[in-house]
Amino acid sequence: MAYLTFDQISSTITLRKAESANESIKSRTYTEKRVFLSYRRNDRKYVEGIVRFLKSLGVSVYVDYLDETLEDKTNENVAAILRDHIKSSTKFISLATPDSSNSKWMPWELGLGDRIINYENVAILPLTNSTAVWPDQEYGKIYGHIQGNYTYTANGPEDWYIIYPNSQKIKLKDWLTK
């Protein structure tokens, strides 16, 4: 099994507010599956590639920095808006990079995702330097994490799985749409 790497997902294109990642916030159908993507601000440069990867599997993705209703500073309103978006999502994915452990918001979001969306609908997406190694973080032993049979290509996200701590696995596409 392989992990998604920085080199595979890197992009020089950066999404801007009101672009395609959040287009479904207002127009999404009731049955459409939606992922809340949690990430550290310092990892924002990888978000567009992750959104592309997830959207290729048939889901919409909520990304906070594209949300025009969010203020740029931390306050109660921002927390309430994020809480509402987690509640309206069907899945929660936490982007785990070596820098994620320095985030103050990610553990809060992960805790809400676990409580609101439920444990089985939460997964960790490791983003590493090597397809073979993920310096496992604390939450990697609690939640399912995403790995692929092969390295990522723009045309091949079909062979990616959620691997649970008990070694059970489910195809990522099936997990996202159930």
Side-chain angles (χ1 to χ4, degrees), residues 20-162:
S20 63
N22 284 350
E23 67 192 357
S24 59
I25 288 174
K26 296 175 187 154
S27 63
R28 132 177 206 258
T29 66
Y30 184 72
T31 59
E32 185 177 36
K33 303 300 181 182
R34 183 169 129 188
V35 172
F36 183 96
L37 181 62
S38 178
Y39 64 96
R40 180 141 196 256
R41 285 248 166 161
N42 290 4
D43 296 325
R44 183 172 154 173
K45 61 186 168 239
Y46 305 110
V47 169
E48 192 224 350
I50 300 299
V51 168
R52 243 188 354 257
F53 174 72
L54 294 171
K55 287 180 90 172
S56 73
L57 293 166
V59 295
S60 64
V61 182
Y62 174 79
V63 178
D64 64 352
Y65 80 83
L66 299 174
D67 188 343
E68 293 178 339
T69 66
L70 283 179
E71 301 170 37
D72 285 335
K73 58 184 177 179
T74 303
N75 60 40
E76 290 176 27
N77 294 334
V78 169
I81 290 168
L82 291 175
R83 189 178 297 112
D84 287 343
H85 283 291
I86 291 171
K87 284 179 186 174
S88 69
S89 296
T90 54
K91 301 293 180 181
F92 182 99
I93 295 178
S94 183
L95 179 62
T97 68
D99 205 27
S100 297
S101 62
N102 296 318
S103 173
K104 292 182 170 121
W105 279 91
M106 287 181 72
W108 178 79
E109 291 171 347
L110 183 60
L112 282 177
D114 185 320
R115 184 175 56 101
I116 294 170
I117 300 175
N118 291 320
Y119 163 83
E120 60 274 350
N121 294 314
V122 173
I124 309 297
L125 175 56
L127 189 58
T128 68
N129 290 313
S130 165
T131 59
V133 179
W134 174 34
D136 192 17
Q137 295 182 2
E138 184 176 348
Y139 300 116
K141 294 182 177 120
I142 300 172
Y143 298 99
H145 64 276
I146 299 170
Q147 276 188 276
N149 276 339
Y150 309 102
T151 58
Y152 170 76
T153 63
N155 298 326
E158 293 286 328
D159 287 328
W160 289 83
Y161 296 86
I162 303 286

